[in-house]
Structure formats: C-alpha cells, structure tokens
Amino acid sequence: MTTVVERIRSGRPVFSVEFMPPRDEADEQRLWRAIRELEGLDPAFVSVTYGAGGSSRDRTLRTTGRLARETDLCSMAHLTAVNHSVAELRNVIGWFAEQGIRNVLALRGDPPGDVMGEWVQHPQGLAYAEDLVRMVRDLGDFCVGVAAFPYGHPRSADLDTDTDHLVRKLNAGADFAIAQLFFEPEDFLRLRDRVAARGCDAAILPGVMPMTTPKVLAKTIELSGSDVPARIAARLDPLVDDAKAFRAEGVDIVTETCQRLLAEGVDVLHFYTFNRSKATREVVARLGLVPARA
Ligand code: FAD
C-alpha cells in the first residue's frame, strides 16, 4: 500500500479528495458512486473524515476499510482524540494497520455538539493533535498528516502562536498538513510562508471546495472562519436566485484560485467533496490534472 507522501511527490501537480462517513444507505450509495467516478481520474489519495460519535465512527472505519480492500486508491483515515482513551486510540490504530491503512490524519477534533464548546480532555486521553501524531508514529509504519488553518484555529490567540503549534505538530513526526478552507489564494500562501519561515519544509496542501450553491458558500464561511471577501461577494451575490449561474460562477472562482495556487508552485490540491464528485471532476479537468485516458 503506497503512502500519501509517495503519491504527492510524483513531480507533477495532483489532486486528492475527502469524503465523509455516509449517514444512511442512500448516502452510502451516493458516496460509492462518487468514489467510483473519481477513481478513474487517479486522485493522489482519498481520505475519510472521522465522526464525532460511536455510530458515525463505525461508518468511518467501515468506509476506510472498504476503500483499502476494494479499490486501488491510496486511502487515508482521519482520527480524532475526542472522547477516546489512549487504549481506545491504540485499538483503532491497530485496526488501521490490520486493514492495510498506512496513512492517518491525526487530529484533536472538536467537542461534540458545539465546536466552540469547552474542550474537555478524556481522563485517559490526549490533549493535542501533536500527542496523537507521536502515538501513531510510535505504533507503526504510518504516514501521518495534520490539520492547518490559514486564518488560524479559532481557539488560537493569534496567527503566530497558531503557526508555532502547527510547526510543533509537524516536527513531532507529521509528514504533511492539509489546510482548512479559505477564500483567497494569498490567504493560503501566507500560511505556507509562515511555516517555511520557521524552517519547516513539510508539504502543506490547500483544502478547496467548489462553491456550487449559496449553502456551500455558507459552509465555506463557517469552516474557514472568514467572511466572504468583497471581490468574491460581488461576483456571487447577484446570482443567489439563479442556481445555474451561481454554480457556474462558483466553479469559475475556485478554478481560478487553484490556477493561481498551481502557478505559485503548489502541486497538490485537496478537494472537500461532501460525497459528491461532479464539481470536483469539472475543476480538475479544467486544471488539466486528470490522466489523458480519463
Ligand atoms: P490541535 O493541533 O491539537 O490544536 C487545537 C488547538 O490547540 C489550536 O488552537 C492549537 O493552536 C492549540 N494547540 C496545539 N498544540 C498546543 C500546545 N502544545 N499547547 C497549547 N495549545 C496548543 N474534525 C473531526 O472531528 N473529524 C475529522 O475527520 C476532521 N478532519 C479535519 C480535516 C482537516 C483538513 C481539518 C483542517 C480539520 C478537520 N477536523 C476534523 C476539524 C479539527 O478536528 C478541529 O478543527 C479541531 O478543533 C482542531 O484539531 P487539530 O488537530 O488542529 O488540533
């Protein structure tokens, strides 16, 4: 089983995709349709987010296991420290190894129910993602990624402290970081510069999501923690009542962002798909990131 690092150091620009554990049978079918539609486009890797509670965690594990068994895709499991003792985390990581999963995105996670609620460490658990990075590394031959935040993590006092913590996570043994959503290419490039200025040369992958509907735009605002820049609002706001035009403009904006990132030497783009493939397929085709035969 190849690792994410092997796949992203291919010497050519590539893309990766992120899925979520399916909520029900219909969602599972939609997810697997998206996986099959993207498989032929040769994504560098695919990842599955880790749910907040028991049943969604089971669905994450089932999906990642099935990806490893039934596809040729390089897959990565997300794992969070929330509500897990160290013993439970060890079990999950051991299960990953048994399934042939070599790549883990090590995260702290958010308090269930209210992402900005009080963070309470499990009494036998871990405090920060950095601790989980060390644990995954110690337990096997894993390739490890971490999360990064172009505007700073909402709990961080300022960007400098946030970047210091990110670099600590990377130095604890992570191979790469994947960035939360952002609006302007410069917002991501500044994050990359802040990390490089601290002497850390780990790959930082931008997280992107085609803004196909006002709902997706609202999700981007929520996840990024940033307001829509005036430049982008001026292009999308007049189209909120015209679904087709909004989608076309939203896909254009994200394609332009990706083009700028590629021109700045970024060579991996990580797409948040929400288990749908069409917009991602459109953007990567426009960027010329798909194999000629696809
Ligand atoms: P940490 O790196 O531990 O950081 C948490 C906070 O603590 C930050 O403010 C940080 O600056 C601070 N901090 C870190 N280290 C220290 C230290 N040593 N001392 C003091 N302060 C410190 N959530 C899920 O539930 N499931 C997922 O699958 C998932 N996937 C994600 C994928 C990506 C690409 C991203 C960007 C986020 C994802 N998240 C997911 C959300 C993530 O779990 C939350 O944003 C969480 O609040 C932060 O996790 P972290 O791993 O960055 O935490």
Side-chain angles (χ1 to χ4, degrees):
M1 179 66 81
T2 50
T3 64
V4 165
V5 160
E6 284 160 2
R7 293 284 294 164
I8 64 178
R9 289 212 187 115
S10 66
R12 65 180 170 89
V14 292
F15 75 101
S16 54
V17 285
E18 181 170 308
F19 300 113
M20 299 184 314
R23 286 181 305 270
D24 52 33
E25 184 65 28
D27 203 24
E28 180 142 16
Q29 284 183 13
R30 196 176 308 120
L31 167 67
W32 277 90
R33 200 163 46 242
I35 291 170
R36 294 302 180 195
E37 285 164 351
L38 284 159
E39 201 175 9
L41 304 187
D42 195 26
F45 67 92
V46 302
S47 76
V48 183
T49 61
Y50 197 64
S55 66
S56 88
R57 289 182 165 180
D58 291 346
R59 282 179 268 124
T60 299
L61 298 182
R62 204 171 63 217
T63 306
T64 2
R66 198 174 154 195
L67 272 167
R69 282 191 313 275
E70 296 182 21
T71 75
D72 291 329
L73 293 162
C74 172
S75 60
M76 176 170 76
H78 295 210
L79 177 62
T80 70
V82 172
N83 284 350
H84 270 319
S85 65
V86 164
E88 287 163 353
L89 289 166
R90 279 177 194 275
N91 269 341
V92 178
I93 297 162
W95 186 88
F96 288 156
E98 276 166 29
Q99 298 293 312
I101 295 163
R102 294 270 317 276
N103 307 289
V104 177
L105 193 72
L107 303 141
R108 181 168 91 168
D110 293 308
D114 174 9
V115 293
M116 280 315 282
E118 191 193 351
W119 160 258
V120 182
Q121 183 183 348
H122 186 288
Q124 285 87 42
L126 303 177
Y128 295 111
E130 182 188 336
D131 307 320
L132 187 56
V133 169
R134 285 205 185 84
M135 182 179 205
V136 176
R137 274 270 179 225
D138 286 350
L139 287 176
D141 185 18
F142 289 102
C143 172
V144 183
V146 291
F149 298 84
Y151 306 112
H153 183 268
R155 290 178 195 271
S156 293
D158 52 55
L159 277 183
D160 270 345
T161 322
D162 189 79
T163 313
D164 289 343
H165 291 151
L166 169 59
V167 170
R168 279 178 64 127
K169 279 196 288 201
L170 289 162
N171 289 343
D175 299 284
F176 62 96
I178 303 182
Q180 184 53 277
L181 291 168
F182 55 90
F183 281 103
E184 297 287 9
E186 288 68 25
D187 300 334
F188 171 79
L189 295 169
R190 277 192 287 269
L191 165 71
R192 193 179 67 167
D193 290 348
R194 285 195 300 275
V195 172
R198 283 159 171 81
C200 177
D201 64 358
I204 317 281
L205 283 53
V208 292
M209 179 163 73
M211 293 178 284
T212 48
T213 63
K215 209 170 145 194
V216 174
L217 176 62
K219 195 75 196 163
T220 307
I221 297 169
E222 179 195 323
L223 289 175
S224 68
S226 163
D227 285 336
V228 189
R231 178 187 78 81
I232 293 177
R235 289 175 66 175
L236 291 175
D237 283 355
L239 308 175
V240 285
D241 295 322
D242 182 342
K244 209 171 152 198
F246 188 101
R247 184 183 190 286
E249 194 67 19
V251 169
D252 277 354
I253 291 170
V254 167
T255 307
E256 290 159 23
T257 301
C258 294
Q259 282 164 338
R260 169 106 168 84
L261 292 171
L262 293 170
E264 288 290 335
V266 170
D267 51 13
V268 195
L269 302 165
H270 184 73
F271 284 82
Y272 295 99
T273 66
F274 283 88
N275 295 355
R276 286 178 162 71
S277 75
K278 190 164 176 239
T280 302
R281 285 186 284 130
E282 270 174 51
V283 175
V284 294
R286 284 171 66 178
L287 294 170
L289 299 185
V290 299
R293 60 186 159 73

